[in-house]
Amino acid sequence: MTVARFHPWLSFVAAASIAVIAGPARADDVTRDLPPPLQLRDLDYGDVLFHFFQDEYFEALVLLEVSRDFGRIPHHEAEAELLSGGLYLSLGLYGEAEKIFNRLLAGPVPQSVSDRAFFYLARSEYQRGFVDDAWRNLERIRGPLPGNLEPERRLLASNVLMAQGRYGEAVVQLTGWTDEKGWSDYARFNLGVALIRSGQTELGRDYLGKVGGMPASTEEQLALRDRANLALGFASLQQHDAEAAVAALSRVRLDGPFTNRALLGLGWAELDAKRPGRALAPWLALRDSKVIDSAVQESFLAVPYAYTQLAANGQAAQQYQLAIQAYAAEGKRIDESIAAIRKGGFLDSILEAVPGTNDVGWFWQLQKVPDAPHTRYLYQLLASREFQEGLKNYRDLRIMQRGLDRWRGSLEAFDGLISAREQAVIDREPRKQALLARTDISALAQRQSELVARASAIESSRDVAALATGDEARQWQALERIEAAVQAMPEGPQRDALADRARLLRGTLTWKFDADYKVRMRSVQTGLQETADALAEARLRLDLLQEGGASAPRDLAGFGQRVGGLEARIDAITPRIDATAAAQERVLADIAVNELEAQKRRLANYATQAQFALASLYDSAAAGGTP
């Protein structure tokens, strides 16, 4: 057995370690340079942004579409179109989002809007693996993007170039880039990877070394530093620079996500430095971890190989036997996982164990994998973009199913409301007819006309007595009776005295009537106008009452038809969603089973190597020594 026997897998680890990364994902990308609140000119657009920044993307999209249909955001049409495309992306509707972006770009829009649209198109296409289309859209960006979008654009451009195999151009894209917001660390890492893949290994290792030695305080920075040291270590191993590999891999944390691969690589580095005894330390530590990790599985072969290099053949034989047993046990557990996946419910068990799966979001992804028979061997698969996109689609389908179930319940409630309103219309009909029968608007209008004519006659003749109050009218009538009685008396001094008093009283009353005439006439005219307005309002309400009574059954029937139509649509859509969800689950289950089968084959290959190595030791022992 030679070191080369294990190096094919080592090359796989190196390839996985020396890979580009996309940088941190941020959920507010679509609105990074939207107008701040003081620049908002349409209140409805502010309402949309409120829901957007609460991560309520579906509600924001509904409000946005309604506001646009009613023409309520005339001052933010371009920004609204851009936001609409981003919100459709959040729902995973890439085709619809691209239609919106392309429609937006076909019209006269500001360069800042068109550049952002090209960027979102490019990122969407890169995420789905359409790297050529992504590069074409990146080339259409004419100026620097606002805020954090510009460094992300540069990082995206380098990733696209490396995905196309254009490593030299990626180097040019990243060379000389300085940034104070954290993106430069990712750029240096990707630049190091690009240089190594383009053949400039020494320069690439230098860049990786800068990232591997950077100060780090957050978990994200620590993970990036570990990954840089891991990539640097394996790049040094491929160059047979064992000491540099040991130095880089020793800087990887012992409690991080790259610990196992670093320990495996560290052992190979020590072995390449002709120190098999020191290689045993990381490999024995690694072997105590769970066998589900590929690096741990490799360590079961690496440990006995190191013993053979130390001429400890007896211990090597024991370790090979242990490896064979471990591989067999792990193969059985993989069979259990395959059976569990094929039984069904694979994806639901993942989603049920992860919080936040009911929230629709552009950057939602599986952050923590539940420890279950379905998933314990699929960590790398579950972290892949292909599986994450498929899982996101399945999750969205399940959310749609629950939404349809809620809407079906709401429609049943609407049915009840419509039935209740129909009964209420029937119950109110007798009271309505009785009210209409008691109401004679024509007679009231006739009476109003007569009062208006009388007021006009009083005003034209200035009949001040006609506007007397009740008491004044009784006094006037009493005065007329007195005057008639005085006239009936025989002539004489007494009659003359009483007649003078009557004339005095008439003059006093007439003076009072004349003094109050204008105020009283204005009051009468105002009252007549108010009465006319009240009659017009009564006539309008009567017409509405009659019209409502005639249209209510028709309107309710229309609502009932709409509810029935929606129920039929839900009944038609539900089986399609169920079938699509089942098909998506089968696709992902097949991918998972294929991955598990590949792991099982790798275990079988390891077991075969262990058996051959063990047989070789026994042959050597039989030929003249002891194992």
Side-chain angles (χ1 to χ4, degrees), residues 414-587:
F414 281 130
D415 274 334
L417 290 174
I418 292 172
S419 299
R421 292 193 65 180
E422 289 175 341
Q423 186 60 44
V425 170
I426 295 173
D427 295 340
R428 285 196 299 265
E429 185 64 22
R431 286 182 291 164
K432 184 191 77 173
Q433 295 300 331
L435 176 63
L436 293 175
R438 295 194 305 268
T439 305
D440 190 352
I441 296 294
S442 299
L444 293 174
Q446 180 62 33
R447 177 62 177 160
Q448 169 74 6
S449 299
E450 293 173 356
L451 291 173
V452 170
R454 183 180 175 188
S456 298
I458 293 172
E459 184 178 22
S460 61
S461 63
R462 197 175 174 79
D463 185 1
V464 295
L467 299 180
T469 65
D471 290 341
E472 290 172 343
R474 284 191 295 274
Q475 291 175 1
W476 188 263
Q477 292 169 2
L479 180 60
E480 288 179 339
R481 288 193 300 271
I482 290 171
E483 287 178 338
V486 170
Q487 291 296 325
M489 292 176 63
E491 295 182 358
Q494 185 179 7
R495 174 185 170 182
D496 293 339
L498 290 175
D500 289 340
R501 288 184 180 182
R503 283 194 299 274
L504 180 61
L505 288 173
R506 176 179 288 276
T508 301
L509 284 175
T510 301
W511 178 84
K512 187 176 186 327
F513 292 161
D514 189 72
D516 295 338
Y517 170 76
K518 291 184 178 180
V519 175
R520 291 178 177 181
M521 178 54 68
R522 173 57 60 187
S523 177
V524 168
Q525 291 173 340
T526 301
L528 288 173
Q529 183 60 48
E530 291 175 353
T531 304
D533 293 341
L535 280 173
E537 179 69 19
R539 187 178 288 108
L540 176 61
R541 293 190 178 191
L542 184 62
D543 292 342
L544 291 175
L545 182 61
Q546 293 173 335
E547 182 182 350
S551 64
R554 182 176 63 254
D555 292 342
L556 291 175
F559 281 124
Q561 291 173 357
R562 290 178 61 187
V563 169
L566 291 173
E567 288 177 338
R569 288 182 61 189
I570 289 177
D571 291 339
I573 292 172
T574 298
R576 293 167 55 191
I577 293 178
D578 292 341
T580 305
Q584 183 70 60
E585 183 175 21
R586 286 194 298 271
V587 169

Side-chain angles (χ1 to χ4, degrees), residues 40 42-53 73 76:
L40 284 173
D42 297 317
L43 183 61
D44 288 86
Y45 190 56
D47 193 19
V48 170
L49 292 184
F50 171 80
H51 286 280
F52 178 84
F53 287 118
I73 47 177
H76 300 282

